[in-house]
C-alpha cells in the first residue's frame, strides 16, 4: 500500500516507517523536522537518518494546505501522528498546541472531504491519540468506580498526592482504565488529543473512510529523542544520570504510568492498519502500572552511574496521579498483546542510550519555565 505518515520523522513515526518498508509498503513522510526534537540541523538527526532510503520525506507543516496536498496524492492509508507533545509545555504554549494539533487535523479532513489533490484514494485513517485524554484514570471508590478530577491544592501542599473518591472523600485506588472510562483531560495537550481523535473518527465516518484512534500510553525505547526536555521521563532521567546530575522526582515518586515499548506500539499500529475495524478507539500499553521511582532506580542500576535520586515533593499543575491501560478491547479486536515487559525494555533502552552522544537536554530550563509561570509548586 501507499502509506502517508504525518510526523513520520519522529520517534514513533520513524520506527513505524521502517516496519512498513520492511513489509513492502511505499511510505511517504510529512514532517516539519522540529528543532525541539531534531536539533538545529535536522538533516543530521538520528531519527531522520534512520528512515529507509525508499521513504519519500517531505519537510512541511500540517497547518499548510499545500503541504498536505503534496503529501496526500495517491495515498491509500494516512497515519496521523503529527502533533505538538508534552503536557507541561502545552499549559503555556496554548495557541501553538491548538493550532498544530487541531487545525492540522481539520485541514487533513477538509482536503479529504473536498477530494482535493488526488486524495480520493485514501481508504483508511489511523490517528495517534493519547492516554492524556482520560486525565486521571479509573479508580475504585467506596461504592463504585469513580473518576477523580483535579486534586485539591490543600492536599498537594500537605504532601497528600493520592486521589480521593469524589463522593466519600476517601483515598481511591487506581484500576486499569478502559476505553469507556470518562474522558476528562487535565491539560491543554490532552484536550487537543481528544479533539484530534473525535475529528478523525467523526470525519472518517461521514466521509465513508474507515478510521481508528490509538490511545498510546507512555512510549519509550531506542530512537527516543534525548534532546526534547518536555516529553519522555526515561530520556530526561537518562540524560541527567549520564551527566552525573541528580534526578529530582516530583511528588513522592509513587505516581504511576503505563510504559510501553516502541516495538509493541509499532505492532499495535500495524494491526490497526490491517484490521477490519472502524470508528473505534483502542488503548495501546502494557496494562501494568510502574511508578516513577522504579523508573529512576532501574535506569540508575543499568547505567551504574549518575547523581542521587531525590524526592522533592514538588508538583506540576495539571499532572495526574495514576493511569494504566485496560487492554481487553485491543486484544479482542486487533489481537494485540504486548511482548516486552518493562525490565527488559528499560535494559535495551539504556544500552542504546549509552551508544548515543548525550548532551544537555534543556530540562533544567524547562523546569524554570514552568516554575516562572506558576505551573510548578
Amino acid at each position: 500500500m501507499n502509506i502517508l505518515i504525518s510526523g513520520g520523522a519522529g520517534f514513533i513515526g520513524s520506527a513505524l516507517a521502517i516496519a512498513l518498508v520492511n513489509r513492502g509498503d511505499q511510505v511517504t513522510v510529512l514532517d516539519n523536522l522540529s528543532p525541539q526534537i531534531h536539533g538545529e540541523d535536522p538533516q543530521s538527526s538520528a531519527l531522520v537518518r534512520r528512515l529507509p532510503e525508499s521513504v519519500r520525506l517531505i519537510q512541511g507543516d500540517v497547518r499548510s494546505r499545500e503541504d498536505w496536498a503534496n503529501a496526500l496524492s495517491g495515498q491509500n492509508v494516512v497515519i496521523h501522528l503529527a502533533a505538538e507533545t508534552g503536557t507541561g509545555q502545552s499549559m503555556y504554549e496554548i495557541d501553538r498546541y491548538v493550532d498544530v494539533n487541531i487545525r492540522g487535523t481539520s485541514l487533513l479532513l477538509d482536503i479529504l472531504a473536498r477530494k482535493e489533490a488526488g486524495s480520493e484514494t485514501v481508504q483508511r485513517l489511523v490517528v495517534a491519540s493519547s492516554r492524556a485524554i482520560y486525565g486521571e484514570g479509573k479508580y475504585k471508590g467506596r461504592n463504585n468506580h469513580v473518576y477523580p478530577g483535579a486534586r485539591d491544592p490543600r492536599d498537594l501542599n500537605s504532601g497528600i498526592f493520592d486521589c480521593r473518591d469524589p463522593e466519600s472523600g476517601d483515598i481511591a485506588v487506581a484500576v486499569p482504565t478502559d476505553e469507556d472510562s470518562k474522558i476528562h483531560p487535565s491539560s491543554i495537550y490532552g484536550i487537543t488529543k481528544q479533539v484530534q481523535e473525535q475529528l478523525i473518527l467523526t470525519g472518517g465516518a461521514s466521509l465513508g473512510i474507515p478510521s481508528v484512534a490509538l490511545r498510546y500510553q507512555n512510549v519509550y525505547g531506542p530512537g527516543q529523542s534525548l534532546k526534547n526536555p518536555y516529553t519522555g521521563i526515561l530520556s530526561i532521567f537518562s540524560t541527567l544520570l549520564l551527566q552525573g546530575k541528580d534526578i529530582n522526582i516530583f511528588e513522592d515518586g509513587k505516581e504511576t504510568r503505563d510504559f510501553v515499548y516502541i516495538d509493541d506500539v509499532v505492532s499495535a499500529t500495524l494491526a490497526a492498519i490491517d484490521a477490519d475495524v472502524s470508528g473505534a478507539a483502542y488503548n495501546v500499553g502494557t496494562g501494568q502500572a510502574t511508578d516513577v521511582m522504579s523508573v529512576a532506580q532501574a535506569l540508575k542500576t543499568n547505567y551504574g552511574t549518575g547523581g542521587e535520586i531525590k524526592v522533592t515533593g514538588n508538583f506540576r499543575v495539571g499532572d495526574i496521579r495514576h493511569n494504566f491501560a485496560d487492554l481487553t478491547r485491543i486484544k479482542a479486536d486487533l489481537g494485540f498483546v504486548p511482548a516486552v515487559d518493562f525490565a527488559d525494555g528499560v535494559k535495551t533502552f539504556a544500552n542504546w542510550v549509552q551508544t548515543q552522544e548525550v548532551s544537555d537536554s534543556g530540562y533544567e530550563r524547562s523546569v524554570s519555565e514552568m516554575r516562572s509561570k506558576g505551573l510548578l509548586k
Side-chain angles (χ1 to χ4, degrees):
M1 292 184 289
N2 294 330
I3 298 181
L4 169 64
I5 311 173
S6 72
F11 170 41
I12 298 173
S14 57
L16 181 60
I18 293 168
L20 289 169
V21 168
N22 285 344
R23 74 176 202 173
D25 294 309
Q26 299 296 314
V27 177
T28 298
V29 163
L30 173 64
D31 199 293
N32 70 346
L33 303 183
S34 166
Q36 184 167 299
I37 298 168
H38 299 282
E40 295 302 324
D41 182 15
Q43 294 299 334
S44 67
S45 161
L47 288 172
V48 173
R49 286 188 285 108
R50 77 172 184 168
L51 288 171
E53 289 185 8
S54 64
V55 170
R56 177 190 176 209
L57 173 60
I58 300 171
Q59 184 171 357
D61 195 315
V62 293
R63 294 169 294 181
S64 163
R65 194 177 202 94
E66 181 180 353
D67 290 342
W68 267 124
N70 186 25
L72 277 168
S73 179
Q75 302 297 336
N76 305 126
V77 178
V78 178
I79 305 168
H80 186 33
L81 305 182
E84 295 292 346
T85 60
T87 56
Q89 189 182 40
S90 77
M91 303 302 282
Y92 56 88
E93 293 281 352
I94 297 169
D95 184 61
R96 180 160 66 92
Y97 273 69
V98 170
D99 194 30
V100 172
N101 297 2
I102 296 177
R103 182 166 173 267
T105 305
S106 70
L107 265 178
L108 164 62
L109 290 169
D110 198 63
I111 292 171
L112 294 175
R114 297 171 186 270
K115 295 182 169 52
E116 296 176 358
S119 65
E120 65 275 4
T121 56
V122 173
Q123 302 164 10
R124 191 159 191 78
L125 297 172
V126 178
V127 64
S129 187
S130 169
R131 61 96 185 150
I133 73 172
Y134 294 116
E136 285 290 350
K138 189 176 184 178
Y139 286 74
K140 183 69 175 69
R142 179 185 294 181
N143 301 312
N144 48 35
H145 287 116
V146 296
Y147 301 94
R151 290 171 286 176
D152 190 326
R154 293 171 296 182
D155 276 350
L156 295 171
N157 286 319
S158 300
I160 301 171
F161 299 112
D162 284 313
C163 293
R164 294 188 183 275
D165 179 342
E167 299 172 5
S168 69
D170 298 339
I171 297 298
V173 178
V175 298
T177 301
D178 59 73
E179 291 88 348
D180 294 325
S181 295
K182 182 177 180 180
I183 302 298
H184 60 146
S186 58
S187 66
I188 299 299
Y189 170 70
I191 292 169
T192 65
K193 297 305 287 185
Q194 176 189 0
V195 175
Q196 266 194 323
E197 175 181 310
Q198 291 175 327
L199 281 169
I200 291 295
L201 294 183
T202 303
S206 70
L207 297 172
I209 301 175
S211 304
V212 174
L214 299 176
R215 296 173 180 171
Y216 296 140
Q217 296 283 321
N218 291 60
V219 186
Y220 74 98
Q224 191 165 9
S225 174
L226 299 175
K227 301 175 186 285
N228 188 349
Y230 300 100
T231 60
I233 66 167
L234 277 89
S235 292
I236 292 168
F237 287 175
S238 294
T239 301
L240 292 171
L241 287 169
L242 291 174
Q243 291 179 322
K245 297 179 179 179
D246 295 338
I247 294 177
N248 294 314
I249 293 178
F250 297 151
E251 301 187 16
D252 58 2
K254 296 178 182 178
E255 59 274 27
T256 64
R257 300 292 185 270
D258 186 335
F259 295 95
V260 57
Y261 193 69
I262 182 62
D263 291 1
D264 284 331
V265 170
V266 169
S267 294
T269 307
L270 293 176
I273 294 169
D274 297 337
D276 185 20
V277 295
S278 182
Y282 297 99
N283 291 329
V284 179
T286 65
Q288 301 296 317
T290 303
D291 65 66
V292 172
M293 177 59 76
S294 295
V295 173
Q297 291 172 336
L299 288 168
K300 186 172 175 63
T301 298
N302 277 284
Y303 295 132
T305 186
E308 297 181 25
I309 299 172
K310 299 179 178 179
V311 175
T312 67
N314 295 132
F315 58 91
R316 295 188 302 182
V317 175
D319 255 358
I320 65 163
R321 182 64 171 172
H322 301 297
N323 193 323
F324 60 104
D326 183 314
L327 302 181
T328 303
R329 182 177 295 176
I330 194 169
K331 288 178 180 178
D333 289 5
L334 303 186
F336 169 73
V337 178
V340 182
D341 66 21
F342 184 72
D344 291 335
V346 76
K347 184 175 182 179
T348 304
F349 171 73
N351 289 340
W352 169 79
V353 170
Q354 290 175 301
T355 69
Q356 305 299 300
E357 179 182 351
V358 176
S359 57
D360 186 2
S361 69
Y363 176 66
E364 290 92 344
R365 183 186 71 251
S366 72
V367 170
S368 296
E369 286 180 358
M370 285 188 290
R371 195 185 302 277
S372 69
K373 297 176 187 302
L375 297 172
L376 179 63
K377 305 294 185 180

